[in-house]
């Protein structure tokens, strides 16, 4: 029997989800049947929608499975790690004047940035007697680190305090720090394939051997990792880049067990976890880690602005001394300006970040839905949507033969810029990443309609040749 408090500020579906999750990890076992959504709704006098939301979240996180016509069951998961129960709450400059519809997967429109408020807070920060005659804190300003730590604990279930947080000037900056920090301990790094290309090139530059590990519908294939020579792995477990899949809880636990057994290290890149449109954000892997082996990486680029260049690392306790020895006493200084850090600190401390996240999620959810519907209506069975429901892009592939490089060239001539997955991952990847964050809803509709024309012309020309 779960206790649901209808007077509480916490949404009912969240209460139900947490109560069920607790029961699953503490009492139930693999294969146990769960009550139907309808029964739960009537037993607790809640709407079917509310119960369904809780089930959906448990399903997304891999705690439960469904079988056609039979309902929901407890999913298989290793027992080693007990997942702790966490409370979790949830600049468009056209690249060239001739490009009218740029489907770039990593951009936000200018109206997504709270410019007026930012200016006001910037002036306030300037008035707060910042010492522009001195270098700031090498690890990042303590006030901002405290805000980030608080946010991560509350909304991502990350276990940390300000002492673990390092402010960085974007993802590559964080990776430079990690590649230096881990060099003596690791000669290889396992990376997702397909995956974020920067990781491979950057770690190669530092002399690491990269070991590509395939990705399937559950994310990184752990069987492959277990037989690899690497004790270091980089992953995007909550929203795999670029396939969009999330790693279920059983695999998260297996991964943590792997790192514990071999003394391994996991770099968790949680780059766009705030942007989930159908379910709540999935709790971080770091929050499940009891062995101090997960390095957490985050950024403000996806939800606030990529132009600010602010990201962060959360280091496990075991690396803090080494980090201090290597960086704080020597060359490294925080690469984000004092004024940006202070303004961001005020932004977070004033509750604006939480409000902004709600706004940005709604804004991008709408664009996501418009993109999905428009693609489906316009292309019908000519395409298949492979990944959706989060981030700033939908991944789709043609269901018939069309040369995507020719399509891209033809599209460019009509002012459409397309991004092909094959550019990064080889020709096995016949897919287009349809970014929506940098376009208005109208532009998405117009751009997709024009793309259909170009697509049909490309097919016609092929038939004539
Ligand atoms: C997989 C992944 N990680 C991290 C980032 C964040 O990069 P940055 O903080 O440098 O903007 C991105 C941005 O596109 C990304 O796609």
């Amino acid at each position: 029997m779960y206790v649901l408090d209808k007077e509480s500020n916490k949404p009912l579906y969240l209460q139900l989800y947490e109560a069920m999750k607790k029961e699953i990890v503490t009492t139930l076992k693999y294969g146990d049947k769960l009550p139907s959504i309808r029964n739960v709704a009537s037993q607790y006098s809640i709407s079917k929608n509310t119960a369904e939301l809780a089930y959906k979240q448990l399903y997304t996180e891999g705690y439960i499975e469904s079988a056609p016509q039979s309902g929901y069951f407890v999913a298989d998961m290793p027992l080693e790690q007990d997942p702790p129960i966490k409370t979790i709450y949830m600049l468009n400059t056209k690249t060239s004047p001739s490009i009218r519809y740029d489907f770039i997967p990593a951009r936000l429109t200018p109206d997504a940035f709270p410019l007026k408020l930012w200016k006001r807070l910037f002036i306030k920060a300037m008035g707060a007697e910042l010492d522009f005659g001195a270098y700031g804190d090498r690890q990042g300003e303590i006030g901002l680190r405290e805000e980030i730590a608080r946010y991560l604990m509350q909304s991502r279930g990350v276990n940390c305090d300000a002492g673990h947080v390092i402010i960085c000037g974007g993802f590559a900056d964080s990776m430079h720090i990690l590649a230096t920090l881990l060099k003596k301990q690791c000669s290889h790094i396992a990376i997702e394939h397909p995956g974020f290309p920067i990781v491979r090139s950057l770690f190669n530059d530092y002399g690491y051997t990269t070991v590509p590990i395939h990705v399937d519908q559950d994310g990184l294939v752990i069987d492959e990792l277990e037989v690899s020579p690497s004790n270091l792995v980089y992953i995007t477990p909550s929203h795999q880049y670029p396939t969009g899949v999330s790693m279920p809880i059983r695999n998260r636990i297996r991964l943590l067990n792997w790192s514990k057994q071999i003394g391994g290290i996991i770099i968790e890149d949680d780059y766009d976890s705030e942007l989930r449109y159908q379910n709540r954000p999935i709790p971080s892997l770091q929050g499940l880690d009891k062995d101090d082996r997960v390095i957490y990486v985050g950024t403000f680029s996806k939800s606030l602005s990529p132009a600010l260049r602010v990201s962060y690392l959360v280091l496990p306790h075991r690396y803090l001394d080494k980090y201090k020895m290597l960086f704080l006493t020597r060359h490294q200084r925080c690469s984000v300006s004092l004024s940006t850090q202070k303004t961001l600190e005020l932004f977070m401390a004033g509750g604006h970040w939480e409000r902004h996240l709600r706004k940005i999620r709604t804004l991008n959810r709408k664009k996501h839905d418009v993109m999905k519907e428009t693609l489906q209506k316009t292309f019908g069975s000519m395409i298949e949507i492979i990944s959706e429901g989060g981030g700033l892009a939908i991944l789709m592939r043609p269901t018939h033969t069309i040369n995507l490089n020719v399509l891209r060239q033809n599209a460019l001539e009509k002012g459409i810029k397309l991004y092909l997955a094959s550019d990064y991952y080889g020709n096995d990847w016949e897919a287009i990443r349809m970014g929506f964050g940098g376009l208005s809803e109208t532009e998405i509709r117009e751009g997709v309609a024009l793309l259909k024309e170009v697509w049909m012309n490309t097919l016609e020309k092929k038939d004539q040749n």
Side-chain angles (χ1 to χ4, degrees):
M1 189 77 190
Y2 312 126
V3 179
L4 303 183
D5 177 3
K6 291 191 176 161
E7 304 299 314
S8 161
N9 285 338
K10 195 184 275 188
L12 280 171
Y13 85 92
L14 197 54
Q15 295 184 41
L16 179 62
Y17 149 82
E18 284 177 355
M20 289 184 76
K21 186 156 106 174
K22 190 170 178 186
E23 191 183 15
I24 288 168
V25 295
T26 54
T27 318
L28 299 181
K29 54 185 193 316
Y30 170 51
D32 280 353
K33 187 162 169 32
L34 294 163
S36 72
I37 290 174
R38 188 187 297 271
N39 280 350
V40 170
S42 93
Q43 187 179 357
Y44 293 98
S45 307
I46 55 176
S47 74
K48 225 180 114 207
N49 266 355
T50 302
E52 204 168 331
L53 270 177
Y55 274 66
K56 240 178 158 180
Q57 187 67 29
L58 290 166
Y59 181 81
T60 310
E61 291 179 25
Y63 286 97
I64 63 176
E65 287 166 351
S66 72
Q69 261 115 57
S70 312
Y72 290 94
F73 299 87
V74 174
D76 189 14
M77 56 191 123
L79 291 172
E80 266 283 87
Q81 302 254 352
D82 295 340
I85 309 300
K86 288 274 154 54
T87 309
I88 21 175
Y89 301 100
M90 304 274 189
L91 300 171
N92 188 20
T93 45
K94 298 270 185 278
T95 36
S96 119
S98 58
I99 300 293
R100 282 187 294 158
Y101 306 106
D102 186 347
F103 288 109
I104 183 165
R107 183 171 291 170
L108 299 165
T109 40
D111 64 335
F113 187 73
L115 190 58
K116 250 187 175 167
L117 175 63
W118 193 263
K119 280 185 190 167
R120 189 156 57 73
L121 295 176
F122 182 83
I123 290 169
K124 193 170 170 194
M126 293 296 101
E129 295 176 10
L130 295 185
D131 183 356
F132 282 104
Y135 287 101
D137 188 320
R138 288 172 186 254
Q139 197 173 333
E141 294 307 299
I142 182 70
L144 178 58
R145 288 193 276 124
E146 277 167 356
E147 289 302 328
I148 291 175
R150 193 169 308 135
Y151 160 68
L152 290 177
M153 278 193 292
Q154 280 179 356
S155 69
R156 305 294 303 121
V158 172
N159 290 315
C160 65
D161 62 34
H164 299 97
V165 177
I166 300 165
I167 309 288
C168 307
F171 182 78
D173 190 27
S174 333
M175 291 302 115
H176 283 297
I177 293 176
L178 294 185
T180 310
L181 191 66
L182 302 172
K183 187 78 190 101
K184 280 216 176 99
Q185 196 186 341
C186 310
S187 54
H188 294 67
I189 178 166
I191 52 172
E192 295 165 324
H193 178 70
F196 196 36
I198 295 177
V199 184
R200 176 197 289 258
S201 52
L202 193 143
F203 275 84
N204 274 339
D205 288 348
Y206 277 84
Y208 287 75
T209 305
T210 45
V211 185
I213 308 279
H214 286 100
V215 167
D216 66 13
Q217 72 284 355
D218 289 338
L220 183 101
V221 177
I222 297 175
D223 285 342
E224 280 185 33
L225 177 68
E226 283 170 346
V227 295
S228 83
S230 185
N231 60 350
L232 169 64
V233 63
Y234 161 87
I235 48 161
T236 46
S238 293
H239 192 220
Q240 204 275 331
Y241 182 99
T243 63
V245 298
S246 44
M247 182 177 272
I249 183 74
R250 64 173 181 279
N251 286 24
R252 289 173 185 243
I253 294 170
R254 254 186 88 188
L255 190 63
L256 292 170
N257 289 343
W258 164 84
S259 69
K260 190 174 174 183
Q261 273 155 19
I262 68 154
I265 305 146
I266 301 168
I267 302 174
E268 174 183 23
D269 181 2
D270 207 24
Y271 64 108
D272 70 355
S273 56
E274 291 99 3
L275 299 177
R276 291 214 52 117
Y277 309 127
Q278 287 153 2
N279 305 92
R280 295 168 55 256
I282 294 168
S284 69
L285 181 69
Q286 196 268 14
L288 297 173
D289 174 24
K290 289 186 185 149
D291 209 40
D292 205 30
R293 301 203 163 271
V294 177
I295 299 172
Y296 181 89
V297 186
T299 180
F300 286 94
S301 291
K302 299 289 172 181
S303 299
L304 185 58
S305 161
L308 286 180
R309 307 312 300 136
V310 191
S311 67
Y312 45 87
L313 280 174
V314 179
L315 282 188
H317 206 72
R318 66 172 74 234
Y319 291 119
L320 286 182
D321 284 346
K322 194 166 174 199
Y323 165 76
K324 284 182 182 140
M325 207 247 310
L326 271 176
F327 290 101
L328 299 191
T329 54
R330 294 198 213 153
H331 54 278
Q332 176 85 7
R333 295 202 179 271
C334 179
S335 49
V336 184
S337 75
L338 188 58
S339 47
T340 298
Q341 290 190 65
K342 276 286 170 192
T343 311
L344 184 53
E345 179 189 327
L346 290 178
F347 186 71
M348 296 183 86
H352 305 294
W353 172 233
E354 296 290 342
R355 276 194 286 280
H356 172 76
L357 279 180
R358 285 198 287 275
K359 180 187 132 186
I360 203 86
R361 227 177 260 136
T362 308
L363 188 84
N364 283 309
R365 178 189 292 119
K366 283 190 192 150
K367 292 185 186 186
H368 166 275
D369 293 351
V370 169
M371 174 65 93
K372 184 178 161 190
E373 273 167 39
T374 313
L375 284 173
Q376 283 170 334
K377 269 196 199 138
T378 311
F379 285 94
S381 60
M382 294 170 70
I383 58 145
E384 182 193 356
I385 290 179
I386 321 171
S387 163
E388 49 137 337
L392 296 172
I394 282 179
L395 191 65
M396 66 137 167
R397 71 171 154 235
T399 50
H400 55 272
T401 310
I402 181 166
N403 185 325
L404 291 186
N405 283 309
V406 175
L407 175 74
R408 169 163 59 183
Q409 187 52 40
N410 293 344
L412 202 57
E413 283 161 21
K414 293 282 179 195
I416 303 174
K417 195 155 181 200
L418 292 181
Y419 296 81
L420 304 187
S422 57
D423 290 344
Y424 296 115
Y425 317 116
N427 290 334
D428 292 352
W429 272 83
E430 280 273 285
I432 310 177
R433 304 188 64 218
M434 297 293 288
F436 48 79
L439 297 170
S440 67
E441 292 178 24
T442 310
E443 285 172 324
I444 294 171
R445 290 194 185 93
E446 289 172 359
V448 171
L450 187 59
L451 178 62
K452 172 79 181 296
E453 275 177 35
V454 178
W455 192 296
M456 298 314 286
N457 287 340
T458 307
L459 288 176
E460 266 170 38
K461 277 192 203 143
K462 185 192 108 198
D463 290 344
Q464 283 160 14
N465 287 337

